[in-house]
Amino acid sequence: MLHPDPHSYYDSSQPRTRRLRLSLGVDFERKQIEGEATLEFGETAQGPLDLDTKGLDILSVQVAGAGPIPWSLGEEDPILGRCLRLELPAGTRDVTVSYRTSPEAMALQWLAPEQTEGKQAPFLFSQCQQIHARTMVPCQDTPMVRIAYQAEVTIPAGLTAVMSAGPAGDAPAGPGRHCFRFTMPQPIPSYLLALAVGRLESRDLSPRSRVWAEPETVEAAAWEFAGVEDMILKAEALFGAYPWDRYDMLVLPPSFPYGGMENPRMTFLTPTLLAGDRSLVDVVAHELAHSWTGNLVTNASMEHFWLNEGFTVWAERRILRILHGEDAEALGWAMGQNALEESLDRFKDEPHLTRLRLHLQGIDPDDAFSSIPYEKGARLVAALEREVGEDRFHRFLRDYMDTFRFTSITTEQWCAFVDAKLPGALAAVDAAAYLDRPGLPASAPVFRSAPLERLSELATRWTEGARPEVDAMARWSPAELTVYLQQLPRKLTQEDCAWLDGHLELTARTNYEILVEWLTLAAAAEYEPAFARIREVLMKVGRMKYLRPLYGALGDHPRTRALAREIFAAASPGYHGLSRRVVQSVLDKYPA
Ligand code: BES
Ligand code: ZN
């Protein structure tokens, strides 16, 4: 088939890459990776081969034994990039593309030393999901193709490289250079290729897990994530044995645009999780759960992204319940509901993007990104579980993982499997309403608990004068406070803000979920005492989950709009390209 994935030039009638060998040189001065990518087919191949590239400089293409072979680059598409067409001679077993990346490659952020914690050395990290692997490596950049890989990465001596793979040794590589080797024996989709280079140290957390971070933060990270082995054990009880050997984590500099990214064997995490109280480790539970739902059983294209995220959110909340009880789980679902409603509102004029099964021809998957596949998806999974009961659902999950391990599947394949294993269940929960209709079905499961009811009641009755008792409020968990702030009316007065800040010392908080929730309310209220803190956060942190609401709320008043534009002008050179795009789209919606 010509283009089974609307976000790739991949042609399924052509040879499929089975294995990738990378030899990469990292050049911090030029902000470029120069490298060779060797694509192996596992059998002899011939004829045309279409690869995805974006911003890559192609230097040469060679087939062992046949020498240079003909290639051509197609027209630039703003979303897809350029198709690199190779003509493979008969009997080709592998082909090597020599290339250079662009300094603007969306997958790569090149940080100056000042943007790191230690401020001593530069830092590089990649973020390939959704379709940015092609800005780093020429490849069949679709999750329909899975590849094992090995890599050798040469970097400045004194720095450390990590990848979404197992380490395979390192050695000096000429004056001032050092080479790190990696191998990933299991087949992964291209969006899980990952590389980071910086001044890094690690701490062991268990025999199969360690955390990497800059030396300045590594102790704090080791403390925050000390419970990871317990989470791995709980996840194994849900899904079966951990399939990737090690579960290591890397804490990135604060410009990392996501909370976490499930790169296999090396989850990437934002440093905003280091709250000092282990209250934000649900993000680790989430990325860990992707080891099964996403990395082992993968969405066939971004049109089926909900299969990755919906199952993973469901698993994250289940792990939360096992570790911290039902009240904690209910708070998790409440935060999710809040995010879901925000996304439904954002897409109110594009209701087709609120379905689970998407049609994304001509749409940039980063523009379609929202909490909907996460939260609507997780509610469909929870509805199925309620319908068939926990025990049957548990057996179903094991069966699902066994049947599709190391494959990439569509919503249609998933539906056929559920129909075969849990006959009638899809119809009973009205799965079609989730998959193909906009909004959230009225029958979607709701999650309650007594503490959650009390918080919601207090928050929604704020305008009638309801105020929490000061002593009780001081004992709220970080999650309770977050939910309370989320459920307060969006429009507060300056007196309201002063009351909240006075009693809860919100501006001084270092838990980013609480802090950003508060600053968003303060921005919308034009509450000046919070402006300096807003600026501080926006200058430092690039996590899109925080940038979007904060810049959004600053749009409510002329004075805060001016503040937002001024902060963005100063902060945007330090933002990741993805974050910059998101903020720009928020500012573009400000009234003129
Ligand atoms: N895989 C996602 C991050 C992602 C999604 C990157 C789409 C690029 C495109 C990751 O697993 C994720 O969902 N992260 C969340 C964590 C949260 C839901 C616990 C995040 O970054 O906030
Ligand atoms: Zn996820």
Side-chain angles (χ1 to χ4, degrees):
M1 209 179 142
L2 189 51
H3 294 147
D5 177 346
H7 296 119
S8 172
Y9 290 109
Y10 170 60
D11 179 337
S12 55
S13 67
Q14 296 179 356
R16 233 180 226 246
T17 317
R18 299 288 174 183
R19 210 184 149 76
L20 180 65
R21 291 201 310 268
L22 294 171
S23 171
L24 306 177
V26 174
D27 184 337
F28 278 99
E29 273 78 52
R30 293 200 151 113
K31 301 190 175 168
Q32 278 184 327
I33 291 178
E34 179 159 340
E36 286 183 359
T38 300
L39 284 61
E40 298 178 11
F41 306 102
E43 55 192 30
T44 55
Q46 66 175 320
L49 177 69
D50 292 333
L51 301 179
D52 294 296
T53 77
K54 202 171 184 184
L56 298 183
D57 242 343
I58 305 300
L59 307 176
S60 72
V61 184
Q62 308 262 342
V63 168
I69 63 156
W71 56 272
S72 63
L73 276 171
E75 291 280 298
E76 172 91 26
D77 176 277
I79 298 169
L80 303 186
R82 299 177 79 178
C83 174
L84 172 62
R85 168 159 292 201
L86 313 182
E87 292 293 339
L88 305 178
T92 300
R93 298 200 72 90
D94 53 45
V95 60
T96 300
V97 182
S98 303
Y99 68 98
R100 260 196 304 261
T101 60
S102 147
E104 277 77 52
M106 196 55 110
L108 302 173
Q109 191 179 10
W110 301 85
L111 299 177
E114 307 75 65
Q115 291 175 275
T116 67
E117 201 61 49
K119 315 212 182 301
Q120 296 177 29
F123 200 105
L124 166 68
F125 68 82
S126 70
Q127 170 55 47
C128 288
Q129 201 181 14
Q130 305 279 9
I131 54 169
H132 307 302
R134 66 194 64 181
T135 71
M136 185 166 90
V137 180
C139 61
Q140 290 172 311
D141 193 10
T142 167
M144 292 176 174
V145 172
R146 304 180 75 98
I147 44 169
Y149 82 89
Q150 67 194 59
E152 42 181 58
V153 185
T154 305
I155 65 171
L159 301 187
T160 299
V162 296
M163 291 192 84
S164 52
D170 64 278
R177 305 284 285 172
H178 203 86
C179 179
F180 287 80
R181 292 192 162 73
F182 301 92
T183 163
M184 170 46 91
Q186 293 117 321
I188 59 162
S190 54
Y191 76 82
L192 294 177
L193 284 170
L195 167 69
V197 180
R199 227 176 108 249
L200 294 174
E201 268 185 23
S202 71
R203 294 288 181 272
D204 283 341
L205 304 175
S206 85
R208 55 176 160 176
S209 182
R210 66 172 59 104
V211 63
W212 289 89
E214 285 188 70
E216 290 74 15
T217 42
V218 74
E219 293 299 342
W223 187 86
E224 203 82 32
F225 306 132
V228 66
E229 179 63 29
D230 220 22
M231 283 188 178
I232 303 174
L233 293 169
K234 303 298 184 256
E236 286 187 313
L238 276 183
F239 291 124
Y242 180 71
W244 302 94
D245 188 24
R246 293 195 57 89
Y247 183 76
D248 293 338
M249 296 169 279
L250 169 68
V251 177
L252 289 133
S255 67
F256 186 60
Y258 291 98
M261 177 65 212
E262 65 270 28
N263 298 314
R265 298 181 187 227
M266 188 63 73
T267 281
F268 282 19
L269 296 169
T270 169
T272 61
L273 302 185
L274 304 177
D277 59 9
R278 298 184 179 152
S279 62
L280 304 180
V281 294
D282 52 330
V283 175
V284 175
H286 178 98
E287 306 314 333
L288 170 65
H290 271 308
S291 304
W292 291 267
T293 52
N295 298 0
L296 191 61
V297 180
T298 308
N299 55 209
S301 78
M302 298 316 148
E303 302 192 317
H304 310 284
F305 183 55
W306 82 273
L307 284 173
N308 278 16
E309 298 299 346
F311 269 90
T312 301
V313 169
W314 175 85
E316 165 201 334
R317 305 242 162 96
R318 178 50 44 91
I319 294 170
L320 195 64
R321 183 210 292 181
I322 299 169
L323 290 175
H324 302 295
E326 290 193 6
D327 289 352
E329 187 199 10
L331 290 168
W333 286 103
M335 291 182 219
Q337 185 74 25
N338 181 71
L340 176 59
E341 283 163 14
E342 180 282 324
S343 293
L344 289 173
D345 182 57
R346 178 152 57 91
F347 285 156
K348 60 180 176 303
D349 300 326
E350 295 162 290
H352 54 283
L353 293 180
T354 72
R355 305 173 191 168
L356 290 182
R357 189 179 357 217
L358 296 172
H359 302 283
L360 293 178
Q361 186 78 48
I363 299 178
D364 186 328
D366 287 324
D367 293 338
F369 180 80
S370 79
S371 292
I372 292 162
Y374 291 77
E375 297 296 338
K376 190 177 177 183
R379 280 157 179 75
L380 171 55
V381 176
L384 278 174
E385 182 187 25
R386 286 187 180 182
E387 173 62 27
V388 303
E390 272 192 37
D391 288 347
R392 254 182 99 198
F393 192 71
H394 186 247
R395 288 195 298 276
F396 164 81
L397 269 185
R398 291 299 189 95
D399 203 0
Y400 176 45
M401 291 297 128
D402 284 345
T403 305
F404 294 109
R405 55 193 287 121
F406 295 113
T407 69
S408 304
I409 66 168
T410 61
T411 304
E412 297 75 68
Q413 284 171 285
W414 180 79
C415 287
F417 184 75
V418 181
D419 265 335
K421 302 292 174 175
L422 303 171
L426 287 178
V429 303
D430 196 10
Y434 293 82
L435 297 174
D436 299 316
R437 291 203 287 277
L440 183 69
S443 62
V446 277
F447 303 86
R448 293 183 206 285
S449 76
L452 174 60
E453 305 286 299
R454 277 198 296 278
L455 284 174
S456 302
E457 154 105 4
L458 268 174
T460 44
R461 293 188 42 241
W462 173 274
T463 6
E464 301 162 29
R467 297 291 178 273
E469 243 181 81
V470 175
D471 284 352
M473 202 164 65
R475 288 191 302 270
W476 284 351
S477 69
E480 286 174 312
L481 180 52
T482 306
V483 167
Y484 176 71
L485 293 173
Q486 285 179 345
Q487 300 199 353
L488 283 174
R490 294 298 86 190
K491 281 286 166 213
L492 295 178
T493 65
Q494 309 228 336
E495 295 71 53
D496 293 340
C497 287
W499 190 94
L500 287 167
D501 203 11
H503 286 96
L504 290 160
E505 296 183 358
L506 294 168
T507 305
R509 296 275 170 156
T510 52
N511 175 313
Y512 274 86
E513 292 294 318
I514 294 171
L515 179 64
V516 171
E517 210 49 59
W518 155 244
L519 294 177
T520 302
L521 287 167
E526 211 182 344
Y527 181 66
E528 195 166 349
F531 286 5
R533 189 76 168 121
I534 291 175
R535 178 192 303 272
E536 199 179 2
V537 168
L538 294 177
M539 288 299 297
K540 177 165 178 199
V541 175
R543 185 174 175 189
M544 294 188 284
K545 178 182 179 188
Y546 298 146
L547 299 183
R548 196 194 288 280
L550 261 179
Y551 277 104
L554 289 169
D556 289 0
H557 306 276
R559 188 159 63 123
T560 49
R561 283 202 284 280
L563 180 67
R565 293 200 180 94
E566 180 207 315
I567 296 174
F568 182 54
S572 76
Y575 288 165
H576 189 284
L578 289 165
S579 309
R580 209 177 293 137
R581 264 191 51 192
V582 159
V583 176
Q584 191 61 60
S585 77
V586 172
L587 297 187
D588 288 346
K589 289 195 202 87
Y590 282 6

